[in-house]
Amino acid sequence: MPKRSDRPDSPETGALEVKPPPAVAGGTAAIAATIAHVRHGPGLLRGARALLAMNQPNGFDCPGCAWPEPGAAERSAIEFCENGAKALAWEADRARADAAFFARHPVAELAVADELWLGQQGRLVEPMVLPAGGTHYQPISWDDAFAGIARAISALETPAQAAFYTSGRTSNEAAFLYQLFVRELGTNNLPDCSNLCHESSGVALKQAVGVGKGTVQLDDFDHADVILIIGQNPGTNHPRMMTTLQAAARRGCHIVAINPLPEAALTRFAHPQHPFEALEGGTAIASMHLPVSVGGDVALLKGVMKALIDEDARRHGHAVDYDFIRLHTEGFPAFLEALAAEPWDRLVDDSGIAQASMRELAALLAGTHRIIACWAMGLTQHEHAIANIQEVANLLLMRGALGRRGAGLCPVRGHSNVQGDRTMGIDHRPGPALLDALERRFGFAPPPAHGLDVVGTIEAMQAGRVRVLFALGGNFLSAAPDTDATAQALRGCALTVHVATKLNRAHVVTGREALLLPCLGRSEKDLQAGGPQFVTVEDSMGAVHASQGVLRPAGDGLRSEPAIVAGLAQAVLGERSRVRWSWLVEDYDRIRDDIAAVIPDFEDFNARVRSPGGFVLPNPVRELRFPTDSGRARFTVHPVPARGLAPGQLLLTTIRSHDQYNTTIYGLDDRYRGIRGGRRVVFMNEEDIRERALEPGMPVDLVSRFRGETRTVARFTVVAYPIPRGSAAAYFPEANPLVPLGRFAPGSRTPASKSIVIEVRRSTG
Ligand SMILES: Nc1nc2c(c(=O)[nH]1)N[C@H]1C(S)=C(S)[C@@H](COP(=O)(O)OP(=O)(O)OC[C@H]3O[C@@H](n4cnc5c(=O)[nH]c(N)nc54)[C@H](O)[C@@H]3O)O[C@H]1N2
Ligand SMILES: Nc1nc2c(c(=O)[nH]1)N[C@H]1C(S)=C(S)[C@@H](COP(=O)(O)OP(=O)(O)OC[C@H]3O[C@@H](n4cnc5c(=O)[nH]c(N)nc54)[C@H](O)[C@@H]3O)O[C@H]1N2
Ligand SMILES: [Mo]
């Protein structure tokens, strides 16, 4: 564990070590890491108490990923993973970034600190203000803070000059109140982390099958014959999914990893809670790994589908599910024609995968309908992200792998409530149904015009069209593309406000004035006038359940997110509001009654969420009802995207290490990739290193090229790694200055942070 230092300008030290990745992931190393992080943060006693309540029916939802918990009856006493424990340890930290801390460190000094250092300073415990022209953050009362925001918003020409960001940890209750406030104020400027994440999945699936969410339930994994894991690293980012995958592998299910990197946990995994497994060498997880080139998934999937057609001829019409296609889909003839016209060599060249491997996968898929396709950021963060996901949908449609047990689409969500936030109306492009329902319930007319997403907000700030940014959690600076441009945009604002648990770089690169509003974390007790409260969240598979913290809050001055939103709304809207804000937050059941009245499928919310394990939202696709215009699922045709690399260039993908949660850095190790003590590394193929006359360990600068613009990050260390030629990888957020603001997926506008065209140069000086 990196030690805390008192100096903000002491960036990560140069003790980088590179070793071969472990042969088996999980095991006792996971337990050792868990204990180290818990001891360091909350301490063992307090930490253990909280961890035993994590993901339990009467406890709180892990603030980590959105992977579902098993049904209430099947849950074990330990339903957390190593990285969930790190998230808890970080949140339940004993250290405090209090008024004395801010008095010691001027903002100019904090602005050079990195994310690791800022997070290590501990929990925010009182509201702080950076006045215009001020050098230090200083304490302010909640009332004065809200009054300041109200003043700044009323000084705008229109409410559309403010933007309201949400990060996906926000509860359903806070999210519902927040969108209600923003719409009553008169704008749909609700950018959220989903814009940077699974927006592409939502958009692509809505077009293809009519619903923008996944179609599988957890028990489908017990019945699948093939599970595809495409562009996802569950061993690090969804470790509880490994329990599911391990069980599937053991009963003979074929797991196929489609990933430029041979991620350790997808190779062999030993469950940390069963020490003997590690001794026995763990379980082999993926029976097939296709090391696709970065950005090569469309080519690969088309190759597999082309091979499936050949397989069908061999199997006399039994490899393609014609009955399903006839009954439930449209567009198959055009799709088939386009596929036939696709030359094999292009598919092989652009994917980096041999035709024989594509045929092998096709043969596997031809034998069963019980196919689940899981994916995450490896597919969603490309210019051609919609095509990536719709090719996955095409493949499942060809096999009739929807609406059956053990089959379906599974976009694996990131933040623990990002899916719920969207369900609650955090959406810059709200549909008329939501707006009508809000109007019916609250008696004001919400604005119909679409608002700004993340990229749109940054562009609007650059142009001076957005002057106030309010962020309910998250890290608007380091999570966004094009870090330098985003920093510039933030500095141009009149006011930036963050509701947060701990410091990050978005808090120290500020508008003319800035506010920090400290909130309760998931693990903490939430006491309101009406007594102790719980909140609710929705997991990646549409299950909605309660979450109630168990720890004493980090400070007396903290407020819950719903209470902060209500206080803000009251101050900004005052008498003109149709909503009884302070009455609502006295008892969150009142908020849930409003949700039940406005959001579809939440009837009787308060009663249903109190049953153990909560309830599952319906998904019509599971019953083979496709809410598209035609009532059918759609085959779609996409060209193979051009790789667009000039000689010497590489396609860089940005990935998470095992020691981070998005922009939150827990430590400098990435155990499963053999990296210790540093994050400024670039993973390259040995041949690509040699061809450039570089060597492992050498310092290099990475230069990104886009439409004649260049962006550079300096002094990264070369690491030789089994990654396909022409591809490279570096960590998010260190590589974010390279992501061009203007390069995103049309349709979802998700930045192409997994296909950045770069050149690698030896560092000078
Ligand atoms: N511990 C921990 N848990 C987390 C997070 C965290 O940071 N830490 N973040 C949360 C969030 S918000 C999210 S969205 C998820 C993210 O979860 P993931 O999507 O698993 O995270 P990433 O590290 O971005 O990487 C995705 C994987 O895609 C691969 N990949 C990269 N480019 C390509 C490509 O072009 N094609 C293919 N096929 N694969 C590619 C990478 O090698 C990597 O294995 O995890 C959530 N859970
Ligand atoms: N290059 C590149 N960029 C990426 C990605 C990538 O793969 N590559 N991934 C993208 C993805 S998938 C996502 S989801 C975004 C993430 O974008 P965000 O959600 O904006 O970022 P996080 O790092 O998750 O936010 C961390 C901050 O949230 C605050 N926080 C933590 N817990 C709480 C809480 O309970 N309440 C409140 N109010 N605040 C809290 C803390 O201040 C912490 O510093 O980043 C995106 N950016
Ligand atoms: Mo995400």
Side-chain angles (χ1 to χ4, degrees):
M1 294 249 19
K3 285 231 288 283
R4 286 181 229 259
S5 96
D6 198 42
R7 300 257 321 271
D9 60 345
S10 51
E12 81 179 42
T13 46
L16 179 73
E17 266 181 72
V18 181
K19 288 199 268 182
V24 184
T28 48
I31 298 183
T34 303
I35 294 172
H37 281 267
V38 171
R39 177 180 292 142
H40 199 77
L44 287 180
L45 223 61
R46 197 158 156 269
R49 196 159 81 77
L51 284 174
L52 289 173
M54 191 142 108
N55 294 334
Q56 295 300 333
N58 297 318
F60 62 97
D61 186 57
C62 174
C65 74
W67 188 256
E69 290 80 36
E74 291 109 70
R75 260 175 244 186
S76 72
I78 297 181
E79 269 304 336
F80 61 89
C81 68
E82 172 192 345
N83 282 346
K86 287 179 194 160
L88 181 273
W90 184 85
E91 175 173 302
D93 198 346
R94 283 164 296 190
R96 299 283 178 266
D98 53 13
F101 165 85
F102 286 104
R104 271 201 312 279
H105 299 289
V107 175
E109 192 185 299
L110 297 176
V112 303
D114 60 24
E115 296 290 357
L116 173 64
W117 188 90
L118 289 169
Q120 282 179 329
Q121 304 316 305
R123 286 289 296 273
L124 296 163
V125 280
E126 52 191 311
M128 305 295 294
V129 63
L130 178 68
T135 55
H136 291 71
Y137 267 110
Q138 44 188 269
I140 183 173
S141 71
W142 282 99
D143 285 350
D144 289 347
F146 290 140
I149 302 171
R151 258 196 318 278
I153 290 178
S154 64
L156 300 173
E157 287 142 31
T158 83
Q161 290 179 343
F164 297 87
Y165 180 69
T166 314
S167 166
R169 204 168 286 187
T170 293
S171 65
N172 287 336
E173 288 73 8
F176 181 81
L177 290 186
Y178 191 49
Q179 61 81 36
L180 182 63
F181 155 64
V182 172
R183 295 195 164 110
E184 194 176 20
L185 175 66
T187 173
N188 285 307
N189 285 348
L190 286 161
D192 78 322
C193 71
S194 171
N195 302 151
L196 309 169
C197 183
H198 266 296
E199 189 81 58
S200 305
S201 303
V203 170
L205 292 179
K206 192 116 190 36
Q207 290 169 358
V209 297
V211 180
K213 294 183 181 183
T215 70
V216 298
Q217 293 294 301
L218 199 51
D219 59 11
D220 283 314
F221 285 80
D222 298 336
H223 303 279
D225 292 325
V226 181
I227 301 172
L228 305 173
I229 312 279
I230 317 175
Q232 192 207 345
N233 181 19
T236 285
N237 298 312
H238 304 90
R240 284 181 304 111
M241 182 177 177
M242 294 310 301
T243 310
T244 308
L245 293 181
Q246 189 183 34
R250 283 188 171 161
R251 62 171 179 79
C253 171
H254 291 276
I255 297 177
V256 179
I258 299 181
N259 196 314
L261 303 180
E263 302 290 21
L266 288 177
T267 311
R268 286 196 88 81
F269 177 76
H271 204 292
Q273 285 167 32
H274 306 292
F276 288 118
E277 285 183 12
L279 295 177
E280 289 162 0
T283 313
I285 302 296
S287 52
M288 192 188 291
H289 171 218
L290 301 178
V292 64
S293 295
V294 166
D297 299 274
V298 169
L300 169 60
L301 291 162
K302 275 184 189 280
V304 173
M305 291 187 284
K306 213 173 151 70
L308 202 54
I309 302 287
D310 293 349
E311 194 68 28
D312 190 65
R314 245 190 316 281
R315 297 191 190 207
H316 310 290
H318 290 294
V320 173
D321 190 339
Y322 296 102
D323 287 343
F324 180 94
I325 292 171
R326 200 178 46 249
L327 283 171
H328 301 296
T329 74
E330 62 185 9
F332 187 62
F335 165 80
L336 206 56
E337 200 179 318
L339 203 55
E342 210 64 79
W344 268 113
D345 34 343
R346 169 119 198 251
L347 302 180
V348 169
D349 286 352
D350 283 13
S351 65
I353 300 297
Q355 200 188 119
S357 304
M358 298 184 193
R359 291 197 183 278
E360 195 186 335
L361 177 53
L364 187 62
L365 297 171
T368 178
H369 299 291
R370 297 180 174 213
I371 305 165
I372 295 178
C374 302
W375 70 91
M377 298 303 101
L379 289 193
T380 65
Q381 298 174 332
H382 296 275
E383 220 168 1
H384 57 272
I386 307 294
N388 273 342
I389 294 149
Q390 292 187 344
E391 296 295 5
V392 174
N394 286 337
L395 178 62
L396 292 207
L397 293 177
M398 279 179 90
R399 291 299 304 123
L402 282 176
R404 297 177 197 263
R405 208 177 191 196
L409 295 156
C410 183
V412 184
R413 303 281 160 176
H415 265 300
S416 51
N417 197 40
V418 63
Q419 187 158 316
D421 291 347
R422 187 52 66 86
T423 306
M424 291 298 117
I426 303 292
D427 191 345
H428 61 286
R429 298 190 281 202
L434 172 68
L435 301 182
D436 291 348
L438 286 171
E439 179 159 7
R440 249 179 285 123
R441 178 74 176 180
F442 297 101
F444 68 86
H450 288 177
L452 297 169
D453 57 11
V454 171
V455 169
T457 299
I458 298 168
E459 288 167 345
M461 286 173 176
Q462 287 176 327
R465 283 183 285 111
V466 160
R467 306 212 314 260
V468 172
L469 175 75
F470 184 99
L472 192 56
N475 186 337
F476 195 87
L477 176 59
S478 298
D482 224 335
T483 314
D484 299 338
T486 301
Q488 206 54 40
L490 285 168
R491 288 204 169 96
C493 287
L495 174 69
T496 50
V497 186
H498 288 88
V499 177
T501 49
K502 275 189 164 189
L503 268 184
N504 67 45
R505 288 196 44 77
H507 307 155
V508 293
V509 174
T510 69
R512 192 154 45 84
E513 276 184 85
L515 283 162
L516 284 179
L517 306 178
C519 67
L520 295 175
R522 276 273 174 84
S523 58
E524 292 168 323
K525 290 180 186 161
D526 182 351
L527 189 65
Q528 302 295 334
Q533 303 297 317
F534 68 88
V535 292
T536 62
V537 292
E538 174 184 341
D539 68 30
S540 199
M541 296 181 190
V544 179
H545 63 87
S547 171
Q548 186 164 26
V550 297
L551 296 179
R552 228 184 73 193
D556 298 335
L558 300 184
R559 290 198 181 173
S560 73
E561 288 188 352
I564 293 172
V565 173
L568 169 73
Q570 192 73 60
V572 173
L573 300 171
E575 292 299 301
R576 76 176 156 113
S577 181
R578 300 294 191 94
V579 182
R580 296 160 72 190
W581 297 102
S582 48
W583 180 81
L584 279 178
V585 287
E586 284 173 7
D587 180 346
Y588 297 175
D589 276 4
R590 294 171 183 166
I591 307 174
R592 284 185 285 270
D593 283 339
D594 280 340
I595 293 173
V598 171
I599 307 292
D601 304 320
F602 279 80
E603 306 79 28
D604 217 7
F605 188 11
N606 272 310
R608 285 196 295 155
V609 82
R610 283 177 163 85
S611 66
F615 61 95
V616 178
L617 294 170
N619 183 329
V621 175
R622 288 178 65 75
E623 279 91 53
L624 293 176
R625 285 183 294 114
F626 299 97
T628 55
D629 295 342
S630 60
R632 288 167 172 271
R634 282 196 192 111
F635 278 97
T636 47
V637 176
H638 305 277
V640 176
R643 292 187 72 69
L645 294 180
Q649 295 181 332
L650 300 171
L651 210 51
L652 176 83
T653 188
T654 55
I655 54 175
R656 293 158 167 79
S657 79
H658 198 61
D659 264 6
Q660 75 183 85
Y661 191 90
N662 298 338
T663 69
T664 296
I665 309 302
Y666 302 130
L668 301 177
D669 302 345
D670 191 6
R671 197 169 75 234
Y672 292 165
R673 299 194 186 104
I675 304 291
R676 284 180 65 90
R679 296 180 44 88
R680 292 180 78 84
V681 297
V682 55
F683 297 96
M684 292 173 66
N685 180 289
E686 275 183 342
E687 301 275 316
D688 283 330
I689 296 175
R690 207 167 315 137
E691 191 182 83
R692 286 164 182 73
L694 301 170
E695 272 169 39
M698 217 173 228
V700 291
D701 297 350
L702 309 180
V703 184
S704 121
R705 301 238 175 237
F706 175 69
R707 291 189 190 147
E709 306 159 8
T710 50
R711 295 170 173 79
T712 307
V713 292
R715 302 200 78 79
F716 273 54
T717 302
V718 173
V719 171
Y721 207 77
I723 184 170
R725 284 208 69 180
S727 299
Y731 294 126
F732 148 55
E734 285 76 2
N736 282 43
L738 299 174
V739 185
L741 188 62
R743 188 154 190 235
F744 47 73
S748 65
R749 293 170 51 92
T750 296
S753 49
K754 286 199 170 39
S755 41
I756 311 167
V757 175
I758 60 157
E759 283 156 25
V760 183
R761 290 192 197 141
R762 205 183 282 207
S763 301
T764 48

